Amino acid sequence: MPKIANLGSSLRRLRPSQLRQLWISVRRQKPSQTLGPFYGGRYRLIAVGFFGLFTILAGRAVMIHILSPSADILETLARRQYQTKIDLSPYRGNIYDRRGEPLAISIRRPSFYVNPRIFDPTPQETRQLAQLLELSPAHVRKVAKRTNYFAWLARKVEFSRAEKVNALKIEGLFEITEPARFYPNGIDLVPLIGSVGIDNHGLQGVELAYDGMLQGEVLTTFRNRDARGQSIYRDSLLALPEKTGKNIVLTLDSAIQNTAQRALQKGVEKAKAKGGFAIVSDPHTGRILAIANVNSAPSEINRNRALTDIFEPGSVVKPLVIGRAVELGLTRLDEVHDTFNGTYHEDKWTIRDTHGSASMTTEEILIESSNIGTYRIAKRMGPEKLATTLAEFGFGARDNQIGFPGQQFGRVSPWQKWRPVRFANVAFGQGFYASGLELVQAFGAIANGGNLMKPFFIDHIESPEGGMIESHASEIVRRVFSPTTAASMRLVLRKVVDEGTGRKAALTSWSSAGKTGTSEKVDPQTRKYSDHLRIASFIGFAPSVDPHLVIYVVVDEPFVKPYTGGIHAAPIFHEIAEEALRYLNVAPDKFPAKDVLAKGTNDHLQKSESQGNQAL
């Protein structure tokens, strides 16, 4: 204050001319450097900001009042604010067996989604949700932290769990129903039928192979929400019409499939084996009636051994080799061959028989499953004709392509590369690879009179309304046996069951025919044939005169000795054939000897046998 008073008194003492000069000097003085940045750069920045905001408001005003948006644009803006679009899985078509029994159907299952903007469960609610929906608490918290308006929490939940979740009444948690897959036969048919993922796409088997046909069009629904994000009502009236997928009808018969599955399961467990499979086919049409799989390892529960495995088949190929030799006139069924008492030496390698004999007829070679006799007959054919024989029966030729994902085909190395020991091994079923379907196809030719049929397991495809879209018919690939040779081989294979290694495959009311097989497996550690790893198998048909079924049974790595097909696979064939023929109401052809009807049947059988022998 004193300084201000002194300044005022000093100014009063100045003359007018001095005051004018002081004012001019003050006006010419430059602004303080401390005030410059504010009035300079900051002022310009604020001015630009206000100008930009004014420009935006002016532009928006022009759009609203002059360039008015269309009704479609306004509707889209409203939907974004008040509607949630949800794409649901399509309703897949059904899969049926040949008699219309459902094997895979679509049902409705509850799913849960949240609005993360209002979904804020307490720690206790988080733990309860995680437990009921089989989720981790961390996952529930992660979903709750999202910033959008929609997020899936859990899909296709069991109804009992869904009721408990709804009872929690957590804000921002909503339920919706969507299609899910249900398999009436449980897990037994999963290796064949397959399964679908959470997105309703096929993962394996038929579900994958025909995913495009089974898959319907995506179902889109809209959920309205209020300003707080809550659903106004649960079932939207704005849902688009649902378009389901096509239905697929298989050639499988559920009754025969269940029979094969039970018999195989029991047989594999009794043998303490690694696994196994069984295929049942109609030899006259090529229709596959059953494909059963058993896998002991939990990690292989979905493995379809029947269609995706290849292996060295063993002695089950001997009827094909010897039958072709008979067809070519290289031997007769009654011709006697030297079998060297069960031990045959050639060069530096040896062939042995389980049932050794000094000599055997061609028929006995099959009945007793002689490796020596089979090789000596195959030598008359030579490597080239033997390789041609295997190819004509479909081994490695892809004649049995059925469109199954991962289906494998046999592999036979070029005959020009065969050494003598490889040629001998191939003759009695070692040294090359085959699939189960290839063997069923080949034996079907013996059963039906000589025609190699193309196997198939899709009968037809129909629209959701039941209209026929695509139908599959029987197809002959080629003729591999004359009717007379096929009839003769049926008679010999019946004796394999009645008198030889396949006695456990004999039926009570029907005649049966077939061949046992016991092939060696390569030890994965030593890469040599193992002393104990075996594949025990039996393939046959019944009834033997007019076969209705061809059945192939494989038991992989039986642990119980002996490891032979006659011990472990033939009884499984017996059980499947007995029940399947009874189910199909096939007339018995085995009767008591004194029965009059039996006499007529036996006369018929004897006549057939006589005709077969005369043909040779």
Side-chain angles (χ1 to χ4, degrees), residues 38-117:
F38 177 81
Y39 287 104
R42 294 185 184 181
Y43 175 80
R44 286 191 296 271
L45 181 63
I46 293 173
V48 170
F50 274 104
F51 180 78
L53 180 62
F54 175 79
T55 302
I56 293 172
L57 293 176
R60 181 61 177 167
V62 171
M63 290 180 62
I64 294 176
H65 294 284
I66 300 176
L67 303 175
S68 179
S70 65
D72 292 339
I73 296 177
L74 294 175
E75 184 179 359
T76 301
L77 294 174
R79 284 181 177 176
R80 289 179 181 175
Q81 294 180 0
Y82 297 108
Q83 291 180 354
T84 298
K85 177 185 176 182
I86 305 175
D87 290 332
L88 299 179
S89 301
Y91 204 98
R92 292 177 71 86
N94 298 326
I95 302 175
Y96 301 100
D97 79 343
R98 65 174 188 156
R99 300 185 184 276
E101 293 293 327
L103 303 176
I105 59 176
S106 289
I107 60 174
R108 291 291 183 182
R109 280 284 180 85
S111 294
F112 288 94
Y113 69 95
V114 301
N115 182 347
R117 299 206 173 209

Side-chain angles (χ1 to χ4, degrees), residues 528-565:
K528 297 180 180 180
Y529 283 117
S530 170
D531 294 331
H532 62 280
L533 299 180
R534 298 288 188 272
I535 292 178
S537 62
F538 182 89
I539 186 166
F541 43 85
S544 63
V545 176
D546 182 21
H548 283 60
L549 301 173
V550 172
I551 304 172
Y552 184 35
V553 178
V554 168
V555 178
D556 186 19
E557 296 185 18
F559 183 77
V560 178
K561 293 183 178 181
Y563 310 123
T564 63

Side-chain angles (χ1 to χ4, degrees), residues 22-182:
L22 179 62
W23 172 249
I24 293 172
S25 64
V26 169
R27 290 186 61 184
R28 290 178 177 178
Q29 187 176 356
K30 293 183 179 180
S32 175
Q33 295 299 319
T34 60
L35 299 178
F38 177 81
Y39 287 104
R42 294 185 184 181
Y43 175 80
R44 286 191 296 271
L45 181 63
I46 293 173
V48 170
F50 274 104
F51 180 78
L53 180 62
F54 175 79
T55 302
I56 293 172
L57 293 176
R60 181 61 177 167
V62 171
M63 290 180 62
I64 294 176
H65 294 284
I66 300 176
L67 303 175
S68 179
S70 65
D72 292 339
I73 296 177
L74 294 175
E75 184 179 359
T76 301
L77 294 174
R79 284 181 177 176
R80 289 179 181 175
Q81 294 180 0
Y82 297 108
Q83 291 180 354
T84 298
K85 177 185 176 182
I86 305 175
D87 290 332
L88 299 179
S89 301
Y91 204 98
R92 292 177 71 86
N94 298 326
I95 302 175
Y96 301 100
D97 79 343
R98 65 174 188 156
R99 300 185 184 276
E101 293 293 327
L103 303 176
I105 59 176
S106 289
I107 60 174
R108 291 291 183 182
R109 280 284 180 85
S111 294
F112 288 94
Y113 69 95
V114 301
N115 182 347
R117 299 206 173 209
I118 60 175
F119 178 66
D120 187 21
T122 64
Q124 181 180 359
E125 291 173 335
T126 299
R127 289 192 299 271
Q128 290 174 323
L129 272 179
Q131 182 178 4
L132 290 173
L133 298 176
E134 297 181 340
L135 304 171
S136 65
H139 179 75
V140 177
R141 290 192 293 268
K142 181 180 178 180
V143 172
K145 290 180 181 180
R146 295 182 181 178
T147 58
N148 55 346
Y149 288 95
F150 175 88
W152 287 111
L153 182 61
R155 303 181 69 178
K156 302 177 182 179
V157 180
E158 295 179 2
F159 285 98
S160 58
R161 294 179 181 270
E163 292 178 357
K164 296 177 182 179
V165 171
N166 287 324
L168 297 177
K169 297 182 179 179
I170 299 176
E171 187 178 15
L173 176 64
F174 308 102
E175 176 190 335
I176 192 171
T177 59
E178 58 176 335
R181 214 57 165 160
F182 175 69

Side-chain angles (χ1 to χ4, degrees), residues 94-408:
N94 298 326
I95 302 175
Y96 301 100
D97 79 343
R98 65 174 188 156
R99 300 185 184 276
E101 293 293 327
L103 303 176
I105 59 176
S106 289
I107 60 174
R108 291 291 183 182
R109 280 284 180 85
S111 294
F112 288 94
Y113 69 95
V114 301
N115 182 347
R117 299 206 173 209
I118 60 175
F119 178 66
D120 187 21
T122 64
Q124 181 180 359
E125 291 173 335
T126 299
R127 289 192 299 271
Q128 290 174 323
L129 272 179
Q131 182 178 4
L132 290 173
L133 298 176
E134 297 181 340
L135 304 171
S136 65
H139 179 75
V140 177
R141 290 192 293 268
K142 181 180 178 180
V143 172
K145 290 180 181 180
R146 295 182 181 178
T147 58
N148 55 346
Y149 288 95
F150 175 88
W152 287 111
L153 182 61
R155 303 181 69 178
K156 302 177 182 179
V157 180
E158 295 179 2
F159 285 98
S160 58
R161 294 179 181 270
E163 292 178 357
K164 296 177 182 179
V165 171
N166 287 324
L168 297 177
K169 297 182 179 179
I170 299 176
E171 187 178 15
L173 176 64
F174 308 102
E175 176 190 335
I176 192 171
T177 59
E178 58 176 335
R181 214 57 165 160
F182 175 69
Y183 302 97
N185 288 282
I187 64 173
D188 289 343
L189 272 177
V190 169
L192 179 66
I193 300 300
S195 59
V196 297
I198 197 67
D199 60 352
N200 220 30
H201 285 284
L203 298 179
Q204 61 188 46
V206 179
E207 296 277 24
L208 173 60
Y210 293 87
D211 188 55
M213 292 187 174
L214 290 166
Q215 183 88 35
E217 295 186 13
V218 175
L219 174 64
T220 301
T221 185
F222 298 90
R223 288 300 172 92
N224 291 346
R225 61 173 181 262
D226 59 19
R228 298 184 59 191
Q230 295 281 10
S231 290
I232 297 176
Y233 47 83
R234 301 175 68 86
D235 295 320
S236 174
L237 299 177
L238 299 176
L240 300 179
E242 184 175 344
K243 294 183 179 180
T244 62
K246 301 175 180 63
N247 298 323
I248 294 181
V249 180
L250 306 183
T251 61
L252 263 64
D253 190 301
S254 293
I256 299 177
Q257 174 70 35
N258 293 335
T259 295
Q261 190 70 43
R262 289 195 309 269
L264 181 66
Q265 183 74 47
K266 184 168 63 176
V268 169
E269 291 176 356
K270 185 177 180 180
K272 298 181 181 179
K274 184 178 180 180
F277 68 83
I279 304 176
V280 183
S281 174
D282 179 351
H284 299 283
T285 63
R287 288 185 173 88
I288 300 172
L289 303 178
I291 298 181
N293 287 273
V294 170
N295 298 289
S296 299
S299 60
E300 297 182 342
I301 193 68
N302 296 334
R303 176 179 172 185
N304 194 323
R305 294 172 173 268
L307 299 178
T308 62
D309 283 13
I310 54 175
F311 47 88
E312 296 182 61
S315 297
V316 292
V317 304
K318 290 175 182 176
L320 308 177
V321 175
I322 293 178
R324 176 49 59 89
V326 171
E327 180 90 354
L328 295 175
L330 300 177
T331 187
R332 303 185 317 274
L333 289 179
D334 60 354
E335 181 183 359
V336 179
H337 305 267
D338 190 351
T339 51
F340 304 92
N341 291 314
T343 303
Y344 175 72
H345 301 282
E346 185 168 316
D347 293 335
K348 296 181 180 180
W349 43 276
T350 302
I351 301 175
R352 291 184 174 84
D353 283 342
T354 303
H355 309 283
S357 177
S359 62
M360 295 183 185
T361 65
T362 303
E363 183 178 85
E364 290 170 340
I365 287 173
L366 273 179
I367 295 173
E368 299 299 332
S369 194
S370 169
N371 292 336
I372 296 172
T374 304
Y375 168 60
R376 287 175 62 79
I377 292 174
K379 286 184 70 174
R380 300 180 182 182
M381 300 172 62
E384 183 176 2
K385 285 186 178 179
L386 179 58
T388 302
T389 294
L390 296 178
E392 288 181 350
F393 278 108
F395 295 105
R398 296 181 179 252
D399 293 323
N400 61 348
Q401 171 73 47
I402 61 174
F404 187 85
Q407 180 183 356
Q408 295 295 311

Side-chain angles (χ1 to χ4, degrees), residues 438-456:
E438 287 171 341
L439 284 157
V440 169
Q441 182 186 26
F443 264 74
I446 299 177
N448 67 29
N451 290 323
L452 190 74
M453 304 299 298
K454 183 175 180 63
F456 63 101

